[in-house]
Amino acid sequence: DASHVVVSLVKNYPNYLIINLDKLNYCASLKNLETVSEKENYKFIQGDICEPDFIKQLFKTEKIDIVLHFAAQTHVDLSFWHALEFTYVNVYGTCVLVAAAYEANVEKFVYVSTDEVYGGSTDEEFDESSPKRPTNPYASSKAAAECFVQSYWERYQFPVVITRSSNVYGPHQYPEKVIPKFISLLQQNRKCCIHGSGLQRRNFLYAADVVEAFLTVLKEGKPGEIYNIGTNFEMSIAQLAKELIHLIKKTSSESEMEHWMDYVKDRPTNDLRYPMNSEKMHSLGWRPKVPWKEGIKKTIEWYKENFHNWKNSEKALEPFPVAEPFAQLSGP
């Protein structure tokens, strides 16, 4: 989650001005940045990466040295019903941003992508040179955006770096994502809704570890390179639900656990797993440090107090997303 990175940069780099550009759509919460909002080296700007004139002006008025591009539509379920919106924001928005950054002679442009660009695999481990075979509109839009970013390195030697990370979990995450969703449902005495068999496996990385990875990429990442930010820790969605039921409902009985699990219709496609090789990041000196038991405990605690940090957080707990239709495309 970008808010963790922003907070860390503001605190660790007092001599740098950290500008946080955010459209503030449904899944954003400025509460996540309260700890730094009054700091002198932090500035918040509300704006949209899909508006070229605004973005050009931003690079003109602010002397920006480094760009960390996290902005994206990221909800896989939603992407099946809103493929056009995902393409617009994730591909067109990235094109606008990288073009403006190039014109402004930015020193480093980091594009934050996802392990999902590789598509699913049951046994093969993906490294950075593995082919991209995305299976859903979200992953396809991220893969296409990667190509545009990479082309600026190929064509102009513009110093871009691409990262592909596993599923991130921890405080600050909008509760449409699986871990905060299950935690919040259980804390409200509701069942975990599990898509399909629940046997799909995911790798989970704690937010603080991901922050360290991005700080490493900022310092050590080489222009034109791609870095997998992954972990060997993986768990099936059904196992995840049981683990959370055990921690929140204080039960180890199989039948009681099953009582809190509700199997629903699967997504149109649901990759089984995304095993990634992260040796390239290890060679830069980064490895995940936070054990699952510790990370998940902190996360559960945080949602007890902060579920209502978003005005529409209840809506996020539907088994399938309920979203406003994407009314119009006001293109270039």
Side-chain angles (χ1 to χ4, degrees):
D1 187 51
S3 65
H4 290 281
V5 176
V6 170
V7 168
S8 183
L9 287 170
V10 172
K11 289 178 175 172
N12 290 319
Y13 292 91
N15 302 331
Y16 276 78
L17 172 64
I18 311 301
I19 297 168
N20 172 18
L21 169 70
D22 196 333
K23 186 184 176 183
L24 293 186
N25 72 354
Y26 75 97
C27 57
S29 168
L30 284 174
K31 281 209 166 101
N32 291 337
L33 292 139
E34 271 176 353
T35 55
V36 296
S37 58
E38 300 304 315
K39 295 264 197 280
E40 284 187 3
N41 66 325
Y42 172 74
K43 182 175 185 179
F44 172 73
I45 296 173
Q46 185 170 359
D48 188 345
I49 57 167
C50 294
E51 291 175 14
D53 296 341
F54 164 74
I55 293 295
K56 233 182 213 163
Q57 196 51 40
L58 178 69
F59 278 93
K60 258 196 195 117
T61 49
E62 306 286 349
K63 173 75 188 80
I64 294 169
D65 301 298
I66 293 170
V67 175
L68 267 162
H69 172 26
F70 287 90
Q73 290 273 14
T74 63
H75 193 6
V76 175
D77 291 340
L78 210 48
S79 77
F80 289 106
W81 322 118
H82 297 271
L84 187 61
E85 179 180 358
F86 275 67
T87 307
Y88 178 65
V89 174
N90 297 353
V91 183
Y92 175 65
T94 299
C95 291
V96 169
L97 199 59
V98 73
Y102 168 69
E103 276 175 34
N105 282 320
V106 162
E107 283 170 32
K108 195 176 235 182
F109 184 99
V110 180
Y111 177 61
V112 180
S113 191
T114 167
D115 56 2
E116 296 203 26
V117 298
Y118 294 119
S121 163
T122 44
D123 48 5
E124 171 199 5
E125 195 179 51
F126 300 119
D127 67 21
E128 289 82 355
S129 63
S130 300
K132 293 188 283 220
R133 297 193 183 106
T135 64
N136 62 64
Y138 158 64
S140 302
S141 69
K142 295 294 282 186
E146 277 192 15
C147 295
F148 282 102
V149 170
Q150 197 71 24
S151 72
Y152 273 79
W153 167 252
E154 303 297 343
R155 204 169 12 167
Y156 308 116
Q157 299 293 286
F158 179 55
V160 305
V161 179
I162 292 170
T163 64
R164 296 175 181 153
S165 50
S166 301
N167 286 31
V168 180
Y169 77 99
H172 300 185
Q173 194 173 39
Y174 183 64
E176 70 188 359
K177 300 286 197 255
V178 67
I179 289 182
K181 186 181 217 167
F182 283 4
I183 290 172
S184 305
L185 284 166
L186 291 167
Q187 286 174 343
Q188 295 180 22
N189 289 320
R190 292 160 69 186
K191 297 182 180 194
C192 300
C193 47
I194 294 164
H195 289 156
S197 67
L199 298 177
Q200 314 85 339
R201 302 178 72 78
R202 293 294 179 263
N203 299 71
F204 294 109
L205 254 182
Y206 189 61
D209 280 331
V210 182
V211 169
E212 288 306 313
F214 284 115
L215 296 183
T216 304
V217 167
L218 283 180
K219 281 202 212 79
E220 312 288 343
K222 293 180 181 61
E225 293 292 329
I226 299 169
Y227 294 95
N228 284 345
I229 300 175
T231 167
N232 295 333
F233 177 80
E234 68 168 3
M235 189 181 265
S236 76
I237 301 303
Q239 185 54 40
L240 168 69
K242 287 180 181 174
E243 188 99 351
L244 293 171
I245 293 161
H246 170 66
L247 291 168
I248 295 167
K249 294 297 171 194
K250 311 279 187 254
T251 176
S252 302
S253 127
E254 269 303 313
S255 61
E256 263 185 70
M257 283 187 182
E258 288 294 335
H259 166 75
W260 292 105
M261 294 161 77
D262 187 16
Y263 289 86
V264 298
K265 196 165 66 93
D266 207 350
R267 292 170 171 168
T269 62
N270 200 339
D271 296 331
L272 270 178
R273 58 197 288 264
Y274 306 103
M276 276 200 307
N277 177 319
S278 304
E279 277 167 28
K280 206 163 152 182
M281 275 303 289
H282 300 168
S283 71
L284 297 186
W286 174 85
R287 280 174 193 274
K289 292 192 185 80
V290 181
W292 167 255
K293 290 270 180 274
E294 182 189 324
I296 200 65
K297 226 168 123 180
K298 286 181 177 165
T299 307
I300 290 170
E301 284 309 307
W302 191 85
Y303 281 94
K304 260 186 204 156
E305 307 301 322
N306 295 283
F307 175 71
H308 290 289
N309 282 7
W310 300 266
K311 29 176 207 300
N312 53 356
S313 41
E314 279 301 329
K315 207 172 170 182
L317 301 182
E318 301 289 332
F320 281 95
V322 185
E324 304 307 314
F326 187 48
Q328 67 192 83
L329 280 173
S330 49

